[in-house]
Amino acid sequence: QNEPMGANLLYIRGVLQGDSQGRLNLDQTLTRAEAFTLLVRLLGLEPGEAPGYADVKPADWDYDAVSAAGLAAEDETFRPNDEVSRAEFTTMVYRAFRTVGWARTAEGTAAELDLVDGGSIPDWALEAYLALERCGNISTYRETEEMDPTDGAPIPEYLAEPGKGATREEAIELLEGALRWLPVYPSQEAIALGFDQSMPVIDGSTSTYPYTSALYGRL
């Protein structure tokens, strides 16, 4: 199975680590624990205080991620093994990015989205879809019977299918798109080095691009 675009970048940044065999298992649906762990690694958030969930213990692999920065809502349980829908993951990404200043609130209607079934997006997730639209929301691609008069190719359409489980591959693509298109701000490390004023130029072949991109992204 081919790795999706952005996988190398997220590997280098330490966001993707795979299973014990290093496999990404791209077709598997994300669990809540996996989704929050991806976001915490991506944002470089530090572990916080005890999260206070009855089903999350200090010995659990996801304990530090669940406790980080209060990204998870207050509740009696966290339900780490519950599968995450497309709408839920989109909302998680948006709220996490908004927390660190990477995304701004958005207003609008589902009709503004390039999604055939945009009207099926839950009200609680619509703002997230609007805010992340430029990144390419998780969607299903399919060809229509209508042909493009310029090249004769079938005109595609996209479906949100918000209740469908978000796969690991879809999560990677959304995160990579968000990193590419959302506004970013310099970290404290970058400011201390003066990189908020001018970034250094790194000469090299195209094979070094993922490393350069990961370095700049981290700063």
Side-chain angles (χ1 to χ4, degrees):
Q1 189 174 17
N2 294 327
E3 291 186 352
M5 290 181 60
N8 285 340
L9 173 61
L10 296 179
Y11 255 134
I12 294 168
R13 294 186 66 159
V15 178
L16 295 180
Q17 296 180 5
D19 61 16
S20 59
Q21 304 298 316
R23 296 170 300 196
L24 293 181
N25 302 314
L26 298 174
D27 293 332
Q28 290 186 12
T29 301
L30 277 179
T31 65
R32 281 174 55 82
E34 292 168 342
F36 274 93
T37 299
L38 282 177
L39 291 172
V40 168
R41 289 175 182 166
L42 181 67
L43 301 178
L45 301 178
E46 297 296 329
E49 299 178 355
Y53 299 110
D55 53 355
V56 178
K57 306 299 182 184
D60 295 340
W61 70 270
D62 58 330
Y63 182 84
D64 286 348
V66 175
S67 71
L71 289 184
E74 293 184 4
D75 203 341
E76 293 183 0
T77 58
F78 179 70
R79 307 180 306 283
N81 297 318
D82 282 7
E83 293 187 341
V84 173
S85 71
R86 289 174 164 185
E88 289 171 335
F89 186 67
T90 300
T91 303
M92 287 179 182
V93 172
Y94 167 59
R95 290 177 177 171
F97 281 22
R98 189 179 62 184
T99 297
V100 298
W102 285 11
R104 298 172 181 168
T105 57
E107 296 181 354
T109 66
E112 298 173 37
L113 298 169
D114 186 23
L115 297 166
V116 175
D117 60 344
S120 67
I121 296 172
D123 291 342
W124 51 264
L126 181 57
E127 183 176 327
Y129 274 84
L130 290 167
L132 300 181
E133 181 182 16
R134 191 182 181 194
C135 310
N137 289 303
I138 297 176
S139 60
T140 301
Y141 166 95
R142 70 183 182 189
E143 295 180 347
T144 66
E145 295 182 357
E146 187 177 357
M147 309 301 286
D148 188 329
T150 59
D151 58 13
I155 296 177
E157 64 181 12
Y158 300 88
L159 292 86
E161 296 186 297
K164 186 176 180 180
T167 67
R168 296 180 177 188
E169 180 172 13
E170 291 169 338
I172 290 170
E173 291 175 345
L174 176 59
L175 292 178
E176 193 271 341
L179 286 176
R180 188 178 296 272
W181 292 110
L182 285 176
V184 295
Y185 306 93
S187 64
Q188 289 303 312
E189 295 96 325
I191 294 173
L193 294 170
F195 293 162
D196 58 323
Q197 302 298 320
S198 177
M199 289 294 285
V201 176
I202 301 178
D203 296 323
S205 67
T206 55
S207 64
T208 66
Y209 173 77
Y211 299 92
T212 305
S213 182
L215 173 62
Y216 282 11
R218 179 65 182 85
L219 292 170

